[in-house]
Amino acid sequence: MSLTELRISNFRNIQTAQIALHPKLNIIEGLNGSGKTSFLEALYLLATGHSFRAREHQTLIHFEAAALTLFAQNTGGDRISLQKDNTGHTLAKINQEACLTRSQLAHLTPCQVFYQDIFAIIDAGPQVRRHMLDWGVFHVEHTYVTLWRDYRRTLKQRNALLKQQPTKTQLKPWNHALSELAHDIDKARVNFCNMWDEAWQEALSALGAVHCHMEYQRGWDKKNEYASLEACLDANYARDCARQFTHYGAHHADLVITHDKRKAQAYLSRGQQKMLLFALKFAQAQLSNKHCMYLIDDMAAELDTYYLEKLVHYIESLPGQCFITKRPEPLAAFAQFQDYQLLTLEDGNFVN
């Protein structure tokens, strides 16, 4: 379902705005500092309950205000609202009923953001890739969030016990419980990765991007030495006790992305990397049980005319709703867009 209306109050430099939204494509145009990225950030906050570029909620609130308020309505008639104040309190509602978890918002409006930190997917550590993987599994298998929470709770208990220098016997029930949950998580991730890789290869071809390979690593037993995580944990008892945390498990899973058996970040240009990452996110979103909302900031950056035209053509074919920011300069590739709404921002104000 697409958003039909968005209201913003005291969000960063956008003091007040009420916008009717295009169901397919909205292009937000403006100079640097006009509020383009803030507009995308407001949409993301409504869809997920958090920002994609700030951890401290105070930075989201306009400096002259005590709180920010966001509201949106979708084509299904659902009404979503969110308020954050300077004390750190957050109140989110769907159809006037309070949301107790972020997953409620995420289920309602699956959202993919394409921001300048997209390169962290291949540049940064496993946590970024693991988070991306789990987003996909969450939107395909809705029991996954409960499974992951149970795993995190069990891991926390095992780590707490490790600080007390336990015996192997004392750790045994925690090893077993963690292993059972980890294998269920691993099964869900493997199933998703198989579908994801197939969709990714199709997206890479459609975008004219270089061929790449995705390898999922479960977080333990890279050399196939152990029959289960439980056996791995038992074999590494001394190491875990010495460092007082659990070295192996689903919380150490990773995705390795390669091109011609070499790591993509070392051998591909920035433009090539951007296209393979766009394809990765597009492919993941298409596996979701609902149409996705795409937030693409400064789409043209680091892309030549060939890639930009391929990307514009691909976006035209996507189901779901898309928001793209750009500078005011004309871009020939954007002339391909047929059905869209252009919104212009100046100093936090919409001028059309």
Side-chain angles (χ1 to χ4, degrees), residues 155-166 171 175 236-237 239-247:
L155 177 65
K156 183 178 180 180
Q157 293 294 331
R158 186 180 190 272
N159 285 341
L161 185 58
L162 285 170
K163 297 182 187 302
Q164 302 173 29
Q165 295 300 306
L171 273 179
N175 291 353
N236 287 275
Y237 162 77
R239 185 184 185 192
D240 283 0
C241 283
R243 299 194 179 182
Q244 300 182 353
F245 66 89
T246 305
H247 285 81

Side-chain angles (χ1 to χ4, degrees), residues 126-301:
Q127 184 177 1
V128 176
R129 293 181 289 277
R130 194 163 52 245
H131 176 76
M132 183 181 184
L133 168 60
D134 287 336
W135 183 97
V137 185
F138 168 79
H139 282 288
V140 171
E141 176 52 68
H142 288 174
T143 61
Y144 185 73
V145 64
T146 301
L147 182 63
W148 182 244
R149 284 173 182 164
D150 289 344
Y151 178 87
R152 296 293 299 178
R153 190 179 299 114
T154 305
L155 177 65
K156 183 178 180 180
Q157 293 294 331
R158 186 180 190 272
N159 285 341
L161 185 58
L162 285 170
K163 297 182 187 302
Q164 302 173 29
Q165 295 300 306
T167 64
K168 277 193 173 184
T169 301
Q170 290 173 315
L171 273 179
K172 189 172 182 61
W174 294 106
N175 291 353
H176 179 75
L178 198 68
S179 180
E180 291 285 308
L181 291 165
H183 283 277
D184 287 343
I185 288 171
D186 180 59
K187 182 179 178 181
R189 285 172 169 172
V190 168
N191 289 340
F192 177 77
C193 280
N194 289 336
M195 296 187 295
W196 190 12
D197 187 48
E198 183 177 347
W200 185 40
Q201 298 307 321
E202 292 178 2
L204 285 171
S205 296
L207 290 169
V210 296
H211 176 76
C212 293
H213 176 71
M214 174 197 305
E215 179 190 349
Y216 164 69
Q217 298 177 349
R218 60 171 56 172
W220 74 94
D221 200 20
K222 289 183 181 180
K223 298 180 180 179
N224 296 317
E225 296 175 328
Y226 306 103
S228 66
L229 173 60
E230 187 171 4
C232 180
L233 293 174
D234 187 61
N236 287 275
Y237 162 77
R239 185 184 185 192
D240 283 0
C241 283
R243 299 194 179 182
Q244 300 182 353
F245 66 89
T246 305
H247 285 81
Y248 299 100
H251 58 295
H252 284 298
D254 195 6
L255 284 174
V256 178
I257 300 172
T258 57
H259 169 64
D260 287 342
K261 298 182 180 180
R262 300 175 297 185
K263 289 189 175 181
Q265 70 267 37
Y267 293 96
L268 297 181
S269 71
R270 219 54 173 166
Q272 289 174 316
Q273 290 179 35
K274 186 170 182 176
M275 291 302 284
L276 77 85
L277 294 171
F278 267 55
L280 198 64
K281 287 198 147 201
F282 285 139
Q284 186 181 59
Q286 289 179 56
L287 297 175
S288 172
N289 292 323
K290 294 182 179 180
H291 288 169
C292 192
M293 179 169 67
Y294 302 94
L295 309 176
I296 307 177
D297 193 39
D298 199 9
M299 189 174 84

